[in-house]
Amino acid sequence: MPPSDLADDPQAVMSADKAAVSRALNLVEDRRPEAHTRVTELLAKLKDAPKAAGGHRVGLTGPPGVGKSTLTSVLARAVRQRGRTLGVVAVDPSSIRSGGSLLGDRARMSFDPADAGLFVRSLATAGEVGGLAYAANSAMRVLAAAFDMVVVETTGVGQSEIDIVHVADTVVLVIQPGSGDVLQFLKAGIMEIPDILVVNKADHEELAKRAVADLRGALQTAHAAGASSGQDASWETPIIATSATKGSGIDELIDALDGHRQHLEATLAARRRQGEVQWTLDLFSRKHGEHGVSTLGGLARLKARAERDLDGGQTPLSLCEHLSREYVAALGKTP
Amino acid sequence: MAEYGKRERDKPWIMRTYSGHSTAAASNELYRTNLAKGQTGLSVAFDLPTQTGYDADDPLARGEVGKVGVPVSHIGDMRALFDGLPLDQMNTSMTINATAVWLLSLYVAAAEDQGVDPSVLRGTTQNDIIKEYLSRGTHIFPPAASMRLITDLISYTVNDVPKWNPINICSYHLQEAGATPTQELAYALVTAIGVLDAVKATGRVPESEFGNVVGRMSFFVNAGIRFVEELCKMRAFVELWDRVTQERYGVTDPKQRRFRYGVQVNSLGLTEQQPENNMIRIVLEMLAVTLSKDARARAIQLPAWNEALGLPRPWDQQWSLRAQQILAYESDLLEYPDLFKGSEVVEAQTQHLVDSAWAEVQEVLKRGGAVEAVESGYIKQKLVESNAARLRAIENGDQIVVGVNKYVESAPSPLTENLDDAILTVDPEVDANQRAALGRWKEERDNAAVEQALAELQRVANTDENMMAASIAAAHAGVTTGEWANTLRQVWGEYRAPTGVAGATVKASGSGASADVIDRLRARLSELETRMGRRAKLLVGKPGLDGHSNGAEQIAIKARDVGFDVVYEGIRVSPEQIVASALEEGVHLIGLSILSGSHLALVPEVAERLRASGLGDVPLVVGGIIPDADAERLRHEGIAAVYTPKDFELDNIMSDLIDLVDRQHAAE
Ligand code: B12
Ligand SMILES: Nc1nc2c(ncn2[C@@H]2O[C@H](COP(=O)(O)OP(=O)(O)OP(=O)(O)O)[C@@H](O)[C@H]2O)c(=O)[nH]1
Ligand SMILES: [Mg+2]
């Protein structure tokens, strides 16, 4: 089918009509060339949606099985109780062999199907390095135009969740008590310090206390070595113990999220723009490596180019493809 | 040399038939006729609402009331169920788990009403909620709360109903979900260890009496068609349980260390094709649990020849009972001591199973024990993987199943001449009648007493007092099953168990014809992705209270392996939820899996809701236990395809599903 015209109904998306949101998401997932201009147009129209500017984009990441989806589910309930709406993008890996995927996060979430203020979409990584689905950035923007808060769940620790930094206002790293590896990564500065640290599965008070203390120690070591949170020295990463199954610590988590969002108020637009620029560059250099970057004039030039073109309504995806074509064309010229 | 053969015969095992349907009164009548036929114990099958803690008037109970078992909503139903059956003389096995504390309370209360002192009651509550998360799917509460209910029931009966088997640790259901003999042994043992450790941790049983608790543990085991290995498995169980009880719990009395078990033989391997062959499978499987005197079952119930067609009629169950009776009373089996003592072959195979199972027991204990390994999805994933391997072996012919992938030609069978009559059908009126009766019950009881009983129940749930006393009081007060469970839901919450599918890996089909087929399917989906712009996305849904997850799981992972993006949310999802998921996820295709017999209520409801949400064009397919006439009707109502167990070639199903997406895409 040609991407249905109904897909580009920005008004309906902004009013959080579920069918319209779903169709818009279908469109941004559409990889056919003929879909790209329409994606670009749609996103441009959604960009200044009232929800989008004022909303909150949260990236939730952490190792497999720490309870990210369960946590999202209880978080959703609490956010809804506070009268805010929520969109969720849950990203799972695609099988390298078959290209297919098992999108299992939804199975851990329980919600009222009649609730118009909660929307969950699963996305497969479709072979993308870095764990964030092909369309996740765009999907995030669609949901951001429709809902007060958007949560993107991805799996990973260390290098792999880097993508999420580019699309989220607030990066939450979820770990569980006794996660030695993560502590080591943090201490060694291998891992960027997230905006919020959550120790989930802290089902018992004792366990929770110890885990928080361990983490605090690791953060101190990291800070002493000069690391700071999300390139933002003025923010002190809160550490929160939660039990998603018991529902404890959720209010604290929401408070921390709100606190960070408020902290960002002045710099938010710049941070979002910076994230998109970075993502464009990441996408491009992953695809074409050093050679691609230098062929198009080096990192600094590409960066300036990205800043300009993204202002002009391009999305990281469309821009990256644009750059790819230029690179391929340039390759054709060199013998 | 001792003279065998002429000596006194051993006492036969208890013979049961797992039964119950429609109403308490109808089931009571069934039990009486079963006893008259020489059955020596009762085995109660409850309907799904009763098992999952809903009253007949709950929207979630729609289409399920009285279907696969008897509805017991309150003490009035329990009285009717055992009307004229003196409870001090019965040996009653109740397949009840999440609501076991409640059903035992009703049983005790009904006994008290009959003037029977509860201390003389005999029977079994299944009460193994751990395997519900792994296979059987009637859990309600999170694992910690379930473990508390399990231990409450155990510590109550050990003191107050000493002849009761408070728990049946079930490996039966694990094999039905795909477990290998090693897995069956290992996961049953870690469950038993988890339960005993939990009882110990309550501190309610004095050290000196702990042996009594161990002695009351019993097991519910499976026996598959590889009956020699299965026979060895039973012997391995005996040996391993002796080891665990002695080494871990220091039980010195050998009687308390005895591995006591009941059996239902394998049903997963019973086929829809040439169903009469199933009787032969059933008899062979029964040998595995009877031949060894040293590891013989205490109680046996057999499935029926028409297992894969639908619910058995009284005659079908009678045929299976006769198989037991012929073995026990006609043959000379019970005249001999253990037949295999000293057999090198049997001992070696038994030892092999003991060793491999023990290694897996250690693996689970290393992961924190049964509850942890349930919550993390470790065990579930292992089961899903084993089941996938089993299905693949049947599909590519490595495992012969007569009448299915070999020797498929058959003369017309007189048994299945009229297929629609070859199963039991439950009167659709049952649902409405039960609802009406429940309404009357609620009107006629003392509602102030009910309120008070529920308040007390809630109070106790928030403490660590035993739940039994408050539950028995609630039973007497006229509280209903739904009220009991809902009160506790409010305190403990509900739990969705891991599905095991996301991480399940299936070994590549290697090379050869089947690998080629997979490659072709993958290529088709990639090509379709290019044309559609997105990868084909499939929603696998399990509406209703049905817990049969095998089919949905296997379809889900197979679909992923040929290249679908698959959304699977696990069991017990409402039609409304399925449609909401389809809408939000933007799927190209929806597949429902229903084995509990409620397809005629649920499938049209999903279809109707899809239309109402503007998703009427999304193709909808259904799989499960769907009698031909019903399949015809569903197709007539626009269901794109209906699959049943005879469609064992998953590759063909996948090919159909791709066709459906392709055709729909072309039509748009
Ligand atoms: C295994 C089994 C169980 C296991 C289930 C384990 C699990 N996690 O799945 C256990 C032991 C736990 C179990 C329990 C019960 N069972 Co049972 N069980 C079976 C059994 C023997 C096999 C089912 C099975 O797994 N087959 C293997 C899978 C792969 O096949 P399948 O699901 O049929 O799927 C195939 C097709 O149907 C199709 N398909 C299925 N779904 C889908 C979905 C899509 C999208 C597609 C495309 C295709 C498709 O493709 C598959 C490939 O061939 C059947 C009888 C039989 N032989 O079929 C009874 C049966 C289904 N059970 C039955 C009953 C009554 C129960 C209980 C309700 C009994 C009770 N009163 O407590 C309990 C409770 C379960 C619950 N919570 O709902 C009845 C249902 C009666 C009816 N429909 O009228 C049956 C028919 C037995 C009988 N004759 O009485 N059971
Ligand atoms: N005890 C305990 N278990 C939890 C908690 N949160 C989640 N779990 C369990 O952990 C398991 C994994 O939870 P998920 O929510 O699927 O974890 P996830 O991080 O989303 O997993 P992936 O998406 O597969 O990476 C499930 O069995 C949950 O029930 C918690 O706070 N305490
Ligand atoms: Mg998840």
Side-chain angles (χ1 to χ4, degrees), chain B residues 46-54 70-73 96 99 103 481 545:
Chain B
F46 294 100
D47 72 356
L48 289 172
T50 304
Q51 296 190 50
T52 51
Y54 296 108
V70 56
V72 175
S73 302
I96 197 69
T99 54
L103 271 298
T481 301
L545 297 179

Side-chain angles (χ1 to χ4, degrees), chain A residues 149 151 264 286:
Chain A
M149 185 189 258
V151 172
L264 289 177
R286 263 184 217 149

